[in-house]
């Protein structure tokens, strides 16, 4: 059948319209395609983000007008506006740019790019708050702690399924110490805003019975810091002596009530200095955020020169410690591991570095030097020193191991506590008891010496032996090296805190023994963290 020209024309128009409705996207479809293409392009800059959006077919979680997207935007912007409370680098989140982008977006492509930028912003903030701003190992080689971080894709997936405000709030460390540090940060910032603690103490030493300008300055500073009640007295009286002692105890100083040069130096530290310690301690808490500390664990604070056993968040045993000397090869590293056993009557296997750097030069001068030590060859045999010319050996070619058998004078004392690690660090007894009386106790080669190692052993054994002291001493009295496995292994955390709270929740401070906190704070500042300044 032959169609008329008019009917044929109408038929072609109808076919054209039908075909167009099939193959040509609507304006809405075009906008969706543009949005998703932009999301795909922008997310390709990050493997984790791209994986997240591919799995959800490039659907948004931030940029729809209402519902959960609006709640997520509001929660993120609110959290970032409070980032300074946590000592985070507010500047690098660029909140103003994000707000402007939300207001000024003009197309679906721009909206798609903004969608992904919001996800990246979320991840940066979330990682900073949950795991820390800086990478420890990049700051100081002695911080060998591994910081577990959340998988970015899984974090986005979890956030998309959660209450936005609740999820963001729960990223911060849960340990009560973090909350105490946060409160101290806010307290110090208020003090800084109000002008600080006043004039520094100009004297080098002040003691009971003194008077004058230095005593007045000390009095005023102690009052401002809360160690002394308000008084008009201009003499170094009994009340000031007690206040000085309280200050000394809170700062790890010998509490003799005399304001010597060391005490005055600490008194003259400003609130900004203390604020730095607090902000670094908060960062260190973030490094430990995802670490399982253990219901029972050993906590060694290098700067505090103490080792403690913590049970259910409470200190159940405490003893003084000696830590590594402040030299490049002796500083005690920071890390966590698990104590597996103790060795009673231990043999000291002298580390290679000590053997060739310290003992080999002595043997070159006198083959009979350090006679309490044994030379052991590669077959495990004791080597005689008779007619031995040690001058033929270099640090590299020295062929012997050096050991000290169990004894009262053994460098490790009568017991050592082992948490096997690549750093060859452990806790142990020592015959050098006099060092525990010192105010600052950084003298070892890196390992941690304990003042009360036997009591420490009893506390550990109490969970597996009815008579821990009797059990220990029975093995000690044999004089033989004995390994005692711990039926319940105990996590050990070697940390470095210059701002720490006491059992009453009051903040105490310690010196930056190795200068690590100063390095960390510098790295935090480089990342955008800011410090409150005293207003003039």
């Amino acid at each position: 059948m032959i169609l008329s020209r008019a009917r044929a024309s109408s038929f072609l128009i109808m076919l054209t319209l039908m075909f167009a409705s099939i193959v040509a996207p609507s304006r809405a479809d075009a906008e969706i395609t543009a949005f998703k293409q932009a999301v795909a392009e922008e997310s390709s800059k990050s493997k984790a983000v791209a994986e997240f959006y591919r799995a959800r077919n490039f659907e948004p979680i931030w940029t729809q007008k209402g519902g959960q997207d609006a709640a997520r935007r509001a929660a993120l912007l609110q959290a970032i506006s409070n980032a300074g409370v946590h000592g985070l680098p507010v500047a690098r989140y660029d909140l103003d740019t994000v707000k402007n982008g939300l207001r000024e977006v003009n197309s679906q492509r721009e909206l798609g790019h903004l969608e992904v930028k919001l996800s990246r912003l979320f991840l940066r903030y979330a990682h900073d708050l949950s795991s820390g701003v800086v990478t420890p190992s990049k700051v100081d080689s002695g911080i060998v702690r591994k910081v577990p971080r959340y998988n970015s894709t899984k974090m986005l997936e979890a956030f998309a399924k959660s209450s936005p405000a609740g999820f963001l709030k729960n990223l911060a460390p849960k340990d009560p110490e973090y909350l105490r540090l946060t409160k101290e940060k806010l307290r110090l910032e208020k003090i800084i805003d109000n002008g600080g603690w006043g004039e520094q103490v100009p004297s080098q030493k002040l003691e009971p019975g003194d008077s004058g300008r230095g005593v007045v300055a000390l009095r005023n500073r102690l009052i401002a810091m809360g160690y002394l009640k308000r008084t008009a007295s201009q003499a170094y009286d009994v009340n000031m002596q007690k206040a000085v002692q309280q200050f000394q105890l809170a700062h790890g100083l010998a509490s003799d009530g005399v304001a010597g040069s060391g005490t005055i130096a600490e008194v003259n530290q400003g609130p900004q200095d203390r604020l730095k310690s607090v902000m670094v301690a908060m960062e260190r808490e973030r490094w430990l955020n995802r670490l399982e500390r253990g219901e029972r664990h050993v906590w060694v604070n290098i700067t505090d020169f103490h080792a403690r056993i913590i049970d259910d968040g409470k200190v159940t045993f405490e003893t003084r410690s000696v830590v590594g000397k402040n030299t490049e090869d002796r500083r005690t590293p920071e890390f966590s591991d698990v104590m597996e056993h103790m060795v009673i009557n231990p043999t000291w296997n002298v580390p290679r570095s000590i053997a060739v750097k310290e003992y080999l030069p002595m043997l070159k001068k006198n083959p009979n030097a350090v006679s309490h030590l044994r030379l052991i060859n590669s077959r495990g045999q004791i080597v005689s020193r008779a007619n031995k010319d040690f001058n033929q050996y270099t640090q590299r070619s020295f062929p012997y191991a050096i050991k000290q058998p169990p004894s009262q004078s053994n460098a490790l004392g009568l017991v050592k506590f082992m948490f096997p690690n690549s750093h060859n660090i452990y806790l142990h007894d020592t015959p050098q008891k006099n060092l525990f009386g010192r105010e600052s106790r950084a003298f070892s080669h890196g390992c941690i010496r304990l003042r009360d190692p036997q009591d420490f052993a009893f506390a550990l054994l109490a969970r597996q032996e009815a008579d821990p002291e009797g059990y220990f001493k029975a093995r000690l009295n044999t004089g033989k090296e004995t390994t005692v496995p711990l039926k319940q292994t105990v996590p050990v955390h070697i940390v470095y805190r210059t701002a720490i709270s006491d059992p009453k929740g009051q903040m105490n401070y310690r010196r930056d023994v190795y200068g690590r906190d100063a390095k960390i704070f510098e790295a935090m500042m480089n990342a955008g963290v800011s410090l409150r300044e005293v207003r003039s």
Side-chain angles (χ1 to χ4, degrees), residues 395-412:
Q395 290 187 6
R396 179 171 293 185
S397 66
F398 185 64
Y400 306 117
I402 299 180
K403 297 178 182 285
Q404 184 182 16
S407 70
Q408 290 281 347
S409 60
N410 187 286
L412 305 183

Side-chain angles (χ1 to χ4, degrees), residues 295-296 311-312 458-465 468 487-488:
E295 166 265 325
R296 158 170 276 205
D311 288 302
D312 295 318
F458 303 157
L460 292 172
L461 291 171
R463 290 199 169 186
Q464 64 188 60
E465 302 296 334
K487 293 180 182 178
Q488 179 184 347

Side-chain angles (χ1 to χ4, degrees), residues 315-344:
V315 177
T316 55
F317 179 84
E318 180 177 336
T319 184
R320 290 189 171 204
S321 66
V322 169
V323 301
K325 189 175 180 180
N326 187 22
T327 59
E328 185 64 32
D329 58 342
R330 294 190 180 186
R331 298 183 189 107
T332 300
E334 301 169 49
F335 66 102
S336 294
D337 218 300
V338 178
M339 187 182 295
E340 299 175 355
H341 62 274
M342 66 181 73
V343 181
I344 303 172

Side-chain angles (χ1 to χ4, degrees), residues 130-151:
S130 64
S131 304
V133 175
V134 301
T135 303
S137 60
K138 292 182 179 179
V139 178
D140 189 287
S141 60
I143 311 175
V144 292
R145 180 172 304 286
K146 295 178 181 178
V147 180
R149 296 186 183 273
Y150 287 104
N151 176 279

Side-chain angles (χ1 to χ4, degrees), residues 188-374:
L188 289 169
E189 286 175 340
K190 288 181 180 178
I191 291 170
I192 291 170
D193 288 344
N194 291 326
W197 289 319
E199 178 192 2
Q200 290 190 333
V201 181
S203 309
Q204 290 297 310
K205 182 179 181 181
L206 295 168
E207 55 190 346
D210 286 349
S211 60
R213 181 191 165 200
V215 170
V216 171
L218 176 60
R219 178 201 69 188
N220 292 343
R221 220 161 160 85
L222 290 170
I223 291 171
M225 288 187 283
Y227 293 97
L228 181 65
K229 292 182 179 180
R230 288 197 171 277
T231 175
S233 173
Q234 298 186 22
Y236 199 130
D237 55 18
V238 173
N239 290 330
M240 183 176 286
Q241 183 178 0
K242 289 180 179 178
V244 168
Q245 286 178 310
Q246 289 175 5
F247 177 90
Q248 289 169 329
L249 288 170
H251 293 77
L253 307 171
S255 57
D256 56 8
V258 175
S261 59
T263 295
I264 289 176
E266 292 302 306
V267 168
N268 283 338
Q269 292 287 306
Q272 301 99 320
D273 299 307
R274 300 308 182 195
L275 181 57
K276 290 178 184 178
S277 292
V278 167
M279 292 171 71
V280 170
M282 292 173 73
E283 175 74 356
R284 289 179 177 279
E285 277 290 332
R286 290 189 282 266
W287 296 348
L288 297 180
N289 188 23
R290 297 193 63 213
L291 181 70
E292 181 57 50
R293 300 190 190 191
E295 166 265 325
R296 158 170 276 205
H297 60 268
V298 174
W299 187 264
V300 180
N301 186 6
I302 295 170
T303 68
D304 189 36
F305 307 112
H306 277 80
R308 298 172 175 86
I309 295 177
I310 311 292
D311 288 302
D312 295 318
K314 295 182 179 179
V315 177
T316 55
F317 179 84
E318 180 177 336
T319 184
R320 290 189 171 204
S321 66
V322 169
V323 301
K325 189 175 180 180
N326 187 22
T327 59
E328 185 64 32
D329 58 342
R330 294 190 180 186
R331 298 183 189 107
T332 300
E334 301 169 49
F335 66 102
S336 294
D337 218 300
V338 178
M339 187 182 295
E340 299 175 355
H341 62 274
M342 66 181 73
V343 181
I344 303 172
N345 295 314
T347 295
W348 183 36
N349 299 298
V350 180
R352 176 76 181 178
S353 60
I354 298 176
V356 298
K357 290 180 181 179
E358 297 184 26
Y359 292 141
L360 178 57
M362 297 169 69
L363 291 169
K364 287 181 177 182
K365 293 179 181 179
N366 178 7
N368 294 314
V370 290
S371 58
H372 60 290
L373 301 177
R374 294 175 178 173

